Every structure is written in structure tokens, then in C-alpha cells.
């Protein structure tokens, strides 16, 4: 595994509203991995754990929701490390839109 990609997304929704919006649109995170599809997901409190599979690889992801921030963590297998900068940039650009 490579170092995880971590991005903080600030918001003013409160944890409950942010969690609801993420729950309604988190499938879009599959697009952050080339050829990606979400194969499993579960909420544990205010943390969403999910797996994205793309290019024959598994990416584990976690979204930690607080009253003011969503902390996104994507852990890439070594094969997808070449996409890390592109995935980070897309997260920074697109993840805030999921909370609108």
C-alpha cells in the first residue's frame, strides 16, 4: 500500500446534514478512481467506510464527518499510486460539490 490520500472538505451543514448529503451522493466517489465502482459500503457512526474497485484493484476509502469538516481518506494499492495526484486533485475539486 502507498501513503493514503487525505483531503479535508470544510462545510457549514452540521454533521447530520452532511452525512445525509454524502449518503445520497457518495456513489460519485467511484468516479475518482479510473474505471471505479463502489463494491461495498457501511456507516459506523459518522464514518462512512467503502471500497472502490477499478482497474482490477481495490481502493479502501473512509469519510469522517464532523460538524464542520469531512475528512476523506483514500488508501491506494501500489499499482494505482501513479494516479494519486490526479485523484487528490479531483477530490479537492469535486468533493465539496457533494455537500452543496
Amino acid at each position: 500500500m502507498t501513503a493514503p490520500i487525505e483531503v479535508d472538505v470544510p462545510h457549514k451543514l452540521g454533521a447530520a446534514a452532511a452525512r445525509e448529503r454524502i449518503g445520497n451522493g457518495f456513489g460519485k466517489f467511484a468516479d475518482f478512481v479510473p474505471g471505479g465502482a463502489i463494491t461495498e459500503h457501511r456507516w459506523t457512526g459518522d464514518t462512512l467506510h467503502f471500497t472502490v474497485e477499478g482497474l482490477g484493484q481495490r481502493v479502501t476509502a473512509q469519510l469522517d464527518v464532523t460538524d464542520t469538516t469531512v475528512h476523506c481518506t483514500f488508501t491506494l494499492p501500489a499499482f494505482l499510486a501513479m494516479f494519486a495526484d490526479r485523484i487528490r486533485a479531483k477530490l479537492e475539486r469535486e468533493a465539496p460539490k457533494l455537500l452543496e
Side-chain angles (χ1 to χ4, degrees):
M1 290 285 180
T2 61
I5 297 170
E6 297 187 59
V7 173
D8 285 322
V9 181
H11 65 84
K12 296 180 181 178
L13 300 170
R19 183 179 166 180
E20 181 178 339
R21 289 188 188 182
I22 289 168
N24 291 332
F26 83 95
K28 295 175 185 174
F29 280 107
D31 297 339
F32 292 17
V33 176
I38 294 180
T39 57
E40 57 187 62
H41 70 281
R42 75 181 186 290
W43 282 98
T44 304
D46 286 334
T47 301
L48 174 62
H49 303 271
F50 61 99
T51 302
V52 179
E53 293 190 30
L55 300 175
Q57 303 292 307
R58 291 175 57 101
V59 176
T60 58
Q62 179 174 314
L63 305 179
D64 296 302
V65 181
T66 69
D67 285 333
T68 59
T69 306
V70 176
H71 182 77
C72 307
T73 305
F74 277 55
T75 305
L76 304 177
F79 178 75
L80 292 178
M82 68 182 96
F83 297 107
D85 290 337
R86 188 162 61 172
I87 293 169
R88 178 181 287 108
K90 190 167 185 175
L91 273 169
E92 291 171 345
R93 184 178 63 248
E94 300 295 326
K97 294 177 185 178
L98 295 175
L99 296 171
E100 292 178 348

PDB file of all heavy atoms in Angstrom, residues 2-21:
ATOM      1  N   THR A   2       0.348   2.300  -0.598  1.00  0.00           N
ATOM      2  CA  THR A   2       1.019   3.575  -0.602  1.00  0.00           C
ATOM      3  C   THR A   2       0.451   4.426   0.525  1.00  0.00           C
ATOM      4  O   THR A   2      -0.507   4.040   1.189  1.00  0.00           O
ATOM      5  CB  THR A   2       0.799   4.290  -1.949  1.00  0.00           C
ATOM      6  OG1 THR A   2      -0.598   4.500  -2.128  1.00  0.00           O
ATOM      7  CG2 THR A   2       1.355   3.488  -3.097  1.00  0.00           C
ATOM      8  N   ALA A   3       1.036   5.592   0.721  1.00  0.00           N
ATOM      9  CA  ALA A   3       0.513   6.510   1.721  1.00  0.00           C
ATOM     10  C   ALA A   3      -0.893   6.921   1.315  1.00  0.00           C
ATOM     11  O   ALA A   3      -1.169   7.124   0.126  1.00  0.00           O
ATOM     12  CB  ALA A   3       1.405   7.740   1.827  1.00  0.00           C
ATOM     13  N   PRO A   4      -1.802   7.033   2.256  1.00  0.00           N
ATOM     14  CA  PRO A   4      -3.172   7.398   1.894  1.00  0.00           C
ATOM     15  C   PRO A   4      -3.265   8.835   1.389  1.00  0.00           C
ATOM     16  O   PRO A   4      -2.462   9.692   1.763  1.00  0.00           O
ATOM     17  CB  PRO A   4      -3.944   7.230   3.197  1.00  0.00           C
ATOM     18  CG  PRO A   4      -2.949   7.193   4.276  1.00  0.00           C
ATOM     19  CD  PRO A   4      -1.636   6.789   3.672  1.00  0.00           C
ATOM     20  N   ILE A   5      -4.242   9.071   0.537  1.00  0.00           N
ATOM     21  CA  ILE A   5      -4.586  10.417   0.106  1.00  0.00           C
ATOM     22  C   ILE A   5      -5.569  10.939   1.141  1.00  0.00           C
ATOM     23  O   ILE A   5      -6.573  10.289   1.432  1.00  0.00           O
ATOM     24  CB  ILE A   5      -5.264  10.391  -1.274  1.00  0.00           C
ATOM     25  CG1 ILE A   5      -4.310   9.859  -2.323  1.00  0.00           C
ATOM     26  CG2 ILE A   5      -5.777  11.771  -1.640  1.00  0.00           C
ATOM     27  CD1 ILE A   5      -4.982   9.588  -3.656  1.00  0.00           C
ATOM     28  N   GLU A   6      -5.290  12.112   1.691  1.00  0.00           N
ATOM     29  CA  GLU A   6      -6.175  12.695   2.696  1.00  0.00           C
ATOM     30  C   GLU A   6      -6.539  14.115   2.295  1.00  0.00           C
ATOM     31  O   GLU A   6      -5.666  14.900   1.939  1.00  0.00           O
ATOM     32  CB  GLU A   6      -5.518  12.684   4.068  1.00  0.00           C
ATOM     33  CG  GLU A   6      -5.240  11.269   4.560  1.00  0.00           C
ATOM     34  CD  GLU A   6      -4.741  11.229   5.976  1.00  0.00           C
ATOM     35  OE1 GLU A   6      -5.473  11.712   6.867  1.00  0.00           O
ATOM     36  OE2 GLU A   6      -3.638  10.719   6.178  1.00  0.00           O
ATOM     37  N   VAL A   7      -7.828  14.412   2.343  1.00  0.00           N
ATOM     38  CA  VAL A   7      -8.337  15.731   1.982  1.00  0.00           C
ATOM     39  C   VAL A   7      -9.410  16.120   2.990  1.00  0.00           C
ATOM     40  O   VAL A   7     -10.277  15.304   3.312  1.00  0.00           O
ATOM     41  CB  VAL A   7      -8.939  15.723   0.553  1.00  0.00           C
ATOM     42  CG1 VAL A   7      -9.617  17.039   0.234  1.00  0.00           C
ATOM     43  CG2 VAL A   7      -7.882  15.396  -0.479  1.00  0.00           C
ATOM     44  N   ASP A   8      -9.342  17.335   3.485  1.00  0.00           N
ATOM     45  CA  ASP A   8     -10.387  17.865   4.366  1.00  0.00           C
ATOM     46  C   ASP A   8     -11.306  18.767   3.556  1.00  0.00           C
ATOM     47  O   ASP A   8     -10.838  19.645   2.822  1.00  0.00           O
ATOM     48  CB  ASP A   8      -9.782  18.663   5.520  1.00  0.00           C
ATOM     49  CG  ASP A   8      -9.155  17.769   6.570  1.00  0.00           C
ATOM     50  OD1 ASP A   8      -9.729  16.702   6.846  1.00  0.00           O
ATOM     51  OD2 ASP A   8      -8.101  18.139   7.115  1.00  0.00           O
ATOM     52  N   VAL A   9     -12.600  18.539   3.690  1.00  0.00           N
ATOM     53  CA  VAL A   9     -13.608  19.335   2.985  1.00  0.00           C
ATOM     54  C   VAL A   9     -14.428  20.085   4.034  1.00  0.00           C
ATOM     55  O   VAL A   9     -15.225  19.483   4.750  1.00  0.00           O
ATOM     56  CB  VAL A   9     -14.535  18.438   2.141  1.00  0.00           C
ATOM     57  CG1 VAL A   9     -15.561  19.282   1.402  1.00  0.00           C
ATOM     58  CG2 VAL A   9     -13.731  17.574   1.180  1.00  0.00           C
ATOM     59  N   PRO A  10     -14.213  21.404   4.154  1.00  0.00           N
ATOM     60  CA  PRO A  10     -14.979  22.166   5.133  1.00  0.00           C
ATOM     61  C   PRO A  10     -16.430  22.343   4.677  1.00  0.00           C
ATOM     62  O   PRO A  10     -16.724  22.355   3.480  1.00  0.00           O
ATOM     63  CB  PRO A  10     -14.250  23.511   5.189  1.00  0.00           C
ATOM     64  CG  PRO A  10     -13.492  23.604   3.926  1.00  0.00           C
ATOM     65  CD  PRO A  10     -13.237  22.207   3.441  1.00  0.00           C
ATOM     66  N   HIS A  11     -17.327  22.469   5.654  1.00  0.00           N
ATOM     67  CA  HIS A  11     -18.737  22.721   5.353  1.00  0.00           C
ATOM     68  C   HIS A  11     -19.380  23.409   6.543  1.00  0.00           C
ATOM     69  O   HIS A  11     -18.794  23.491   7.619  1.00  0.00           O
ATOM     70  CB  HIS A  11     -19.473  21.410   5.010  1.00  0.00           C
ATOM     71  CG  HIS A  11     -19.561  20.456   6.145  1.00  0.00           C
ATOM     72  ND1 HIS A  11     -20.542  20.535   7.112  1.00  0.00           N
ATOM     73  CD2 HIS A  11     -18.779  19.398   6.487  1.00  0.00           C
ATOM     74  CE1 HIS A  11     -20.363  19.566   7.991  1.00  0.00           C
ATOM     75  NE2 HIS A  11     -19.297  18.860   7.643  1.00  0.00           N
ATOM     76  N   LYS A  12     -20.588  23.904   6.324  1.00  0.00           N
ATOM     77  CA  LYS A  12     -21.337  24.592   7.383  1.00  0.00           C
ATOM     78  C   LYS A  12     -22.695  23.936   7.607  1.00  0.00           C
ATOM     79  O   LYS A  12     -23.627  24.576   8.058  1.00  0.00           O
ATOM     80  CB  LYS A  12     -21.523  26.058   7.008  1.00  0.00           C
ATOM     81  CG  LYS A  12     -20.214  26.811   6.917  1.00  0.00           C
ATOM     82  CD  LYS A  12     -20.412  28.247   6.548  1.00  0.00           C
ATOM     83  CE  LYS A  12     -19.039  28.908   6.460  1.00  0.00           C
ATOM     84  NZ  LYS A  12     -19.107  30.289   6.053  1.00  0.00           N
ATOM     85  N   LEU A  13     -22.791  22.646   7.298  1.00  0.00           N
ATOM     86  CA  LEU A  13     -24.067  21.943   7.339  1.00  0.00           C
ATOM     87  C   LEU A  13     -24.402  21.326   8.687  1.00  0.00           C
ATOM     88  O   LEU A  13     -25.566  21.041   8.960  1.00  0.00           O
ATOM     89  CB  LEU A  13     -24.068  20.816   6.300  1.00  0.00           C
ATOM     90  CG  LEU A  13     -23.864  21.224   4.854  1.00  0.00           C
ATOM     91  CD1 LEU A  13     -23.654  19.994   3.992  1.00  0.00           C
ATOM     92  CD2 LEU A  13     -25.048  22.030   4.380  1.00  0.00           C
ATOM     93  N   GLY A  14     -23.408  21.044   9.488  1.00  0.00           N
ATOM     94  CA  GLY A  14     -23.595  20.214  10.665  1.00  0.00           C
ATOM     95  C   GLY A  14     -23.418  18.762  10.250  1.00  0.00           C
ATOM     96  O   GLY A  14     -23.567  18.412   9.073  1.00  0.00           O
ATOM     97  N   ALA A  15     -23.086  17.909  11.187  1.00  0.00           N
ATOM     98  CA  ALA A  15     -22.768  16.512  10.878  1.00  0.00           C
ATOM     99  C   ALA A  15     -23.947  15.761  10.276  1.00  0.00           C
ATOM    100  O   ALA A  15     -23.793  15.016   9.303  1.00  0.00           O
ATOM    101  CB  ALA A  15     -22.258  15.799  12.127  1.00  0.00           C
ATOM    102  N   ALA A  16     -25.149  15.938  10.821  1.00  0.00           N
ATOM    103  CA  ALA A  16     -26.305  15.171  10.348  1.00  0.00           C
ATOM    104  C   ALA A  16     -26.639  15.500   8.894  1.00  0.00           C
ATOM    105  O   ALA A  16     -26.854  14.600   8.076  1.00  0.00           O
ATOM    106  CB  ALA A  16     -27.508  15.423  11.237  1.00  0.00           C
ATOM    107  N   ALA A  17     -26.667  16.780   8.542  1.00  0.00           N
ATOM    108  CA  ALA A  17     -26.991  17.177   7.168  1.00  0.00           C
ATOM    109  C   ALA A  17     -25.879  16.754   6.207  1.00  0.00           C
ATOM    110  O   ALA A  17     -26.154  16.297   5.095  1.00  0.00           O
ATOM    111  CB  ALA A  17     -27.224  18.678   7.089  1.00  0.00           C
ATOM    112  N   ALA A  18     -24.631  16.885   6.632  1.00  0.00           N
ATOM    113  CA  ALA A  18     -23.513  16.468   5.776  1.00  0.00           C
ATOM    114  C   ALA A  18     -23.570  14.962   5.537  1.00  0.00           C
ATOM    115  O   ALA A  18     -23.381  14.495   4.417  1.00  0.00           O
ATOM    116  CB  ALA A  18     -22.178  16.857   6.412  1.00  0.00           C
ATOM    117  N   ARG A  19     -23.855  14.229   6.589  1.00  0.00           N
ATOM    118  CA  ARG A  19     -23.958  12.767   6.441  1.00  0.00           C
ATOM    119  C   ARG A  19     -25.074  12.388   5.468  1.00  0.00           C
ATOM    120  O   ARG A  19     -24.912  11.504   4.637  1.00  0.00           O
ATOM    121  CB  ARG A  19     -24.194  12.136   7.804  1.00  0.00           C
ATOM    122  CG  ARG A  19     -24.233  10.651   7.741  1.00  0.00           C
ATOM    123  CD  ARG A  19     -24.439  10.031   9.093  1.00  0.00           C
ATOM    124  NE  ARG A  19     -24.790   8.636   8.839  1.00  0.00           N
ATOM    125  CZ  ARG A  19     -25.053   7.756   9.732  1.00  0.00           C
ATOM    126  NH1 ARG A  19     -25.008   8.085  11.001  1.00  0.00           N
ATOM    127  NH2 ARG A  19     -25.356   6.531   9.416  1.00  0.00           N
ATOM    128  N   GLU A  20     -26.218  13.059   5.553  1.00  0.00           N
ATOM    129  CA  GLU A  20     -27.333  12.774   4.650  1.00  0.00           C
ATOM    130  C   GLU A  20     -26.945  13.057   3.195  1.00  0.00           C
ATOM    131  O   GLU A  20     -27.220  12.250   2.306  1.00  0.00           O
ATOM    132  CB  GLU A  20     -28.548  13.610   5.034  1.00  0.00           C
ATOM    133  CG  GLU A  20     -29.750  13.345   4.159  1.00  0.00           C
ATOM    134  CD  GLU A  20     -30.970  14.143   4.583  1.00  0.00           C
ATOM    135  OE1 GLU A  20     -31.039  14.591   5.741  1.00  0.00           O
ATOM    136  OE2 GLU A  20     -31.853  14.314   3.731  1.00  0.00           O
ATOM    137  N   ARG A  21     -26.311  14.183   2.940  1.00  0.00           N
ATOM    138  CA  ARG A  21     -25.915  14.518   1.570  1.00  0.00           C
ATOM    139  C   ARG A  21     -24.876  13.538   1.034  1.00  0.00           C
ATOM    140  O   ARG A  21     -24.930  13.142  -0.125  1.00  0.00           O
ATOM    141  CB  ARG A  21     -25.399  15.945   1.502  1.00  0.00           C
ATOM    142  CG  ARG A  21     -26.529  16.932   1.690  1.00  0.00           C
ATOM    143  CD  ARG A  21     -26.126  18.342   1.459  1.00  0.00           C
ATOM    144  NE  ARG A  21     -27.218  19.221   1.838  1.00  0.00           N
ATOM    145  CZ  ARG A  21     -27.181  20.518   1.722  1.00  0.00           C
ATOM    146  NH1 ARG A  21     -26.118  21.111   1.213  1.00  0.00           N
ATOM    147  NH2 ARG A  21     -28.209  21.249   2.099  1.00  0.00           N
TER     148      ARG A  21
END
